[in-house]
Amino acid sequence: MKYDPIKNVFANLIENNAFFRKSFYLTLQLIILRQWHVKKEIKALHNKKDTFTFYDAGAGFCQYSDFILSYFPNASVIAMDLKTDYMLSFQNYLKRKGINKISIYQGDLQSFIPQKKADIAIAIDILEHIQNDRQVLKNIYNSLNHNSHLIISTPSNLDKAAAFTEEHVRPGYAMEDLIEKVQTAGFKVKTVKYSYGFWGKIYWILGMKIPLTMTSLSKLFLIILPIYFLFVIPFNLVFMYLDMIIHNKKGNGLILVAEKE
């Protein structure tokens, strides 16, 4: 499946409407399991009043940058992506609110290193899109201060759907492979776990696969999606919570936290 055309539909909807943007970010929080895992790890590393710089590597819609600026009032953000349109749209949204704590950069993670070092970085569903992932990890390592952290979310090699996503250059990672690459870049791996286990897979089918398939067939399905989500979200919230609290012996996703000592 090709996801970029679907993303562009939502980008156009939120471009100049603050209400739609906040509603979109809230919807992503409700329907995307990996955001639950990633935000949980961020909160475990930083207290709400901490002052730190957050590096959003492969920022996309900037939903994680929005979370940082909303939840951590003393934080600042470095956002970087190959595409600038989504990031610039988010920056303009912040300017209208009088917020200027974000720096936007266009570039390739295989070569880009921000001038200002960060205290925490995320790489959320990006490594599987990039051929030279070892160089990306090395560059992120060099972008961080000492005693800083990197959080990675990526498909595991157990995720069969990842093999059929056109934008992917590899069908997910074996846990051992990801650990080796992160350690070779210089990081100390603190935790690594499977996400999208038994309950997470059920959530994904109901909350992601079915609606994305419908939307890719016709934009008219956008009209009935709110009704669909009203029905499935209560069930999905339970499935997502179970995926968070249960130790998954295997799963379609990997969540890794590493430290630059």
Side-chain angles (χ1 to χ4, degrees):
M1 182 178 289
K2 201 166 187 175
Y3 289 122
D4 281 350
I6 300 173
K7 291 179 182 178
N8 290 335
V9 171
F10 291 109
N12 291 332
L13 288 174
I14 67 175
E15 173 69 28
N16 295 305
N17 192 302
F19 174 77
F20 283 171
R21 181 178 293 273
K22 294 303 292 185
S23 299
F24 177 62
Y25 287 158
L26 177 60
T27 301
L28 293 181
Q29 174 62 17
L30 286 174
I31 69 172
I32 298 183
L33 175 58
R34 64 176 174 269
Q35 291 199 183
W36 288 34
H37 284 284
V38 172
K39 291 179 181 180
K40 177 184 177 182
E41 300 298 343
I42 294 173
K43 290 179 181 179
L45 294 171
H46 286 284
N47 295 320
K48 193 167 186 177
K49 294 183 179 180
D50 285 354
T51 299
F52 62 92
T53 300
F54 175 78
Y55 179 23
D56 197 348
F61 285 114
C62 294
Q63 65 267 34
Y64 293 101
S65 294
D66 181 72
F67 162 70
I68 292 295
L69 295 174
S70 300
Y71 189 85
F72 299 97
N74 298 319
S76 60
V77 169
I78 299 168
M80 182 272 177
D81 206 305
L82 272 172
K83 296 175 61 176
T84 59
D85 47 355
Y86 296 173
M87 294 188 298
L88 290 173
S89 176
F90 178 65
Q91 187 179 46
N92 291 333
Y93 158 76
L94 291 179
K95 286 181 178 179
R96 291 193 291 269
K97 297 176 64 177
I99 300 174
N100 297 292
K101 295 192 296 181
I102 186 170
S103 301
I104 298 292
Y105 296 95
Q106 188 277 335
D108 187 336
L109 287 170
Q110 296 172 104
S111 57
F112 178 81
I113 299 177
Q115 293 182 347
K116 181 181 178 181
K117 291 186 180 294
D119 304 296
I120 181 172
I122 61 170
I124 310 303
D125 283 11
I126 61 166
L127 292 178
E128 67 273 14
H129 295 265
I130 301 174
Q131 190 66 48
N132 194 352
D133 52 353
R134 291 184 183 274
Q135 187 62 47
V136 171
L137 291 167
K138 184 177 180 180
N139 289 342
I140 293 177
Y141 180 89
N142 291 329
S143 302
L144 292 172
N145 293 311
H146 292 293
N147 303 122
S148 297
H149 293 88
L150 166 64
I151 300 172
I152 294 173
S153 170
T154 189
S156 78
N157 61 340
L158 304 176
D159 183 2
K160 303 305 179 185
F164 297 99
T165 301
E166 288 189 29
E167 293 90 350
H168 288 185
V169 299
R170 62 181 58 82
Y173 289 86
M175 181 181 286
E176 297 78 10
D177 180 38
L178 182 62
I179 291 173
E180 184 273 324
K181 289 184 176 183
V182 170
Q183 289 177 334
T184 300
F187 288 100
K188 176 184 177 181
V189 175
K190 295 181 67 176
T191 61
V192 59
K193 63 183 181 181
Y194 285 110
S195 58
Y196 292 79
F198 175 80
W199 296 107
K201 291 176 187 177
I202 297 175
Y203 134 79
W204 183 81
I205 292 171
L206 291 175
M208 296 298 293
K209 183 177 181 179
I210 293 175
L212 284 174
T213 301
M214 291 166 56
T215 306
S216 66
L217 292 174
S218 173
K219 294 179 182 179
L220 293 176
F221 283 113
L222 288 171
I223 299 173
I224 66 171
L225 277 182
I227 300 172
Y228 174 82
F229 280 126
L230 282 174
F231 176 76
V232 302
I233 279 179
F235 299 98
N236 270 353
L237 292 177
V238 175
F239 300 148
M240 294 162 80
Y241 177 72
L242 290 173
D243 192 80
M244 287 273 292
I245 65 172
I246 292 175
H247 173 70
N248 296 309
K249 294 182 179 180
K250 58 182 180 179
N252 285 353
L254 288 168
I255 304 291
L256 182 144
V257 180
E259 181 179 12
K260 178 180 179 178
E261 294 184 310

